Amino acid sequence: MLSAALWGIMRHYFYGFPVSVMKEFFATCPKGLENLLADELTTLGAEQVRETVAGVHFKGELAIGYKACLWSRFASRIVLVLSEFQMNDDLDLYLGAHTIPWEEHFSGTSTIAVDFTGTNPAIRNTQYGALKIKDAIVDRFTKRGHVRPDVDKKSPDIRIMAHLGKGKANITLDLSGPALHQRFYRQGTGEAPLKENLACAMIARSGWAGEPMMDPMCGSGTLLIEAAFIAADMAPALRRERFGFDRWLQHDSELWQSLMMEAQVRAKRGMQRCEVKLFGCDADSRVLLKARDNAKAAGVAHLITFKQADVTKLENPLPMPAPVEGEEGQGETRQVGMLISNPPYGERLGEFPALLEVHQALGDALRRSFQGWKVSILSASPELLSCLRLRADKQYRLFNGALECQLRNYQIALDSVASQKEVAQDFANRLRKNLKTLEKWANKEGIDCYRLYDADLPEYNAAIDRYQDYLVVQEYAAPKDIPAQKTRQRLLDMVQAAIKVTGMDGEKVILKVRERQEGKQQYQKLSEEQHRMEVQEYGARLWVNLYDYLDTGLFLDHRQTRRMLGQMAKGKRFLNLFAYTGSATVHAGLGGASETTTVDMSHTYLNWAQDNMRLNSLVGRQHKFVQADCLKWLSEADDQYDLIFIDPPTFSNSKRMDESFDVQRDHLLLMQHLKRLLAADGTLVFSNNKRHFKMDLAGLEAIGLKAQNITQKTRPKDFERNQHIHNCWIITHAPEQADA
């Protein structure tokens, strides 16, 4: 097959066609791929190759531009540079675009689109910049008596690309058409498909040289298909039907056809001699079907073996050779290969527990079954990569869109073993001990939810609550003098250990960060999962939501208090102030309260309280629900109640409240209002979560109330270590007031 340069010379001498002249091109690519792209273009014959951020400048004859479109595995687009000029204002942009001989590049019957990036004080809007260039093009055509081209933003015949930066405007013509990372074999993808040029970068940076290759979380199969293209010497754009130069007036169709023929011959020969072994696994059978369809559409299905398998059960795909008879110790060595993968790394904190489990399982599988293999893993989370428990030999910085990622290369030692020291061993031992004690106690008590761990060890600063077969891990804000990276790693180690000790599915571990919440931050919504589940507590049925809010709808430390209220409520008129989700009202209703009144400012939580009551068949006009500022409602209410429960926030300055509230500062004023509503022989249960709260006993006595501290009695077994989780008081009228 003749080279493109020799073909051009022969055409000039024998057919009278002009010899191509040097042209200036620019290739765009994702950040981190510039060096790979520059080397690739140099190999293709490009000259004066120069890297810049997210792209490479190069020069060459037209054949080089065509080759780049056909053969580049790393480029996103190849554009032909038409003009570069100084630009201060919109007039400079218009005049600069107007001087370009557009009629030499396309006719008036072609459709065009102008893409513009960059701004300056004169061009503050990219749409305005694109409009000025479009006007210049149209005006040039009409002034010369030509038909003016129409605009087609979606699928133009010719796409013009302009960039403004550092006082210069750069105008180019797109030769690629659809972005070059699109290979047109995808019949379907998973949730987060890997772009083809990034997949090729991973393969290149891994050092893969054609040995057996596996992707244990292959998704739609992109990595494996691109590896098959490389192994079979197949041009990545060979199956593409449309390019940006198809309607370009200077397009050399004969030259292009010669390059296409050469690529087709190479692909046919490459496919015939290709013996590469490629293996793909994924736990999702639906995604695996898409991968098979993609490989078939790409023409490489016969080179890839797909298998449904969970990463926790990952096995080496290469068979162990049978021992040679009569040769002791021979035939025991398994063939080694390369494992390359882009595991999910999540962008939300709540997704981490399941991903930790995946990465830990992958690391264990590599040490157990892939001794001697090379491994290359891409992730946006260094913390997740650390869960592999492997030491990286090399590390590269790549970008998946705008997301900065690390590609780490590993070598699995021949003597590597899966069993390693337990992650966060001290924490794991403590959690194991707590679980053994509390699980039996909870089953005996008839409760589904309890605190399993509460910062028992200072270096593992979090609370872990169990809700049936779910774990909610709430990280407390670390002191400012502890590095964030260290804190983060300890949290991830703790989550890994918790999954292993409890045997919980990582998908059922919810991770949150707990900080001091004040005012508008209280009960801030965290997500839109809409995940609600029913739990049991001393016979009460309650709804909890483990995902959407910082709190779940059930304060576990008040469990004993709620039980006590139920035992006290028979025949009583019950008031629940700052009611949250009404769990205390449920216990009072089940305990036989004659009527209940539930007051909260939040419409969301009041509806939740009603749902909780309906769940326990507590319905009827005797159960009232009031949405109001509790302090304002309290100052105006005049009904009498036999049993009152109030659990106010430590501090609140909600915009729906007339004034701020501080429980230490304002509790006596609160008691003055409550005294008016409390029946002569009634009981008020007052609780709050302020550390070191001090009841104003003298002030209470002065207004005719007395208080009994029942904090120890109301602190459940699972909160025994936390002396300050809450404080609780029974308040009644002083004897003389009761007699009166």
Side-chain angles (χ1 to χ4, degrees), residues 685-699:
V685 179
F686 171 63
S687 180
N688 69 76
N689 293 85
K690 181 176 177 60
R691 292 175 66 88
H692 310 299
F693 172 81
K694 293 183 179 180
M695 179 70 79
D696 186 349
L697 296 173

Side-chain angles (χ1 to χ4, degrees), residues 13 102 244 278 286 298 329 350 372 480 540 559 659 689 707 709 724:
Y13 285 108
W102 297 106
L278 303 171
R286 295 168 299 178
K480 293 182 179 180
R559 188 188 311 110
E659 299 177 358
N689 293 85
N709 191 333
H724 304 289

Side-chain angles (χ1 to χ4, degrees), residues 218-252:
C218 67
S220 55
T222 305
L223 267 167
L224 298 165
I225 294 170
E226 293 298 319
F229 281 179
I230 294 169
D233 193 25
M234 183 181 292
L238 192 60
R239 293 175 176 269
R240 175 180 288 245
E241 296 181 354
R242 179 171 173 266
F243 287 87
F245 51 70
D246 290 340
R247 294 290 299 274
W248 180 43
L249 293 181
Q250 297 182 32
H251 172 45
D252 188 336

Side-chain angles (χ1 to χ4, degrees), residues 36-49 56 58:
L36 291 169
L37 178 55
D39 290 344
E40 179 184 60
L41 292 169
T42 300
T43 302
L44 291 173
E47 299 179 22
Q48 300 181 43
V49 177
V56 177
F58 65 102

Side-chain angles (χ1 to χ4, degrees), residues 103-130:
E103 64 279 5
E104 296 179 7
H105 295 285
F106 53 89
S107 68
T109 59
S110 296
T111 57
I112 64 170
V114 180
D115 294 344
F116 191 95
T117 57
T119 58
N120 71 1
I123 307 292
R124 299 182 180 182
N125 184 289
T126 56
Q127 291 183 349
Y128 178 66

Side-chain angles (χ1 to χ4, degrees), residues 8 114 150 292 303 448 475 486 568 675 694 717 719:
V114 180
D150 290 329
R292 290 190 174 100
L303 298 176
D448 288 344
E475 181 192 23
K486 186 174 184 178
M568 297 169 63
K675 179 176 182 291
K694 293 183 179 180
K717 179 179 179 64
F719 288 89

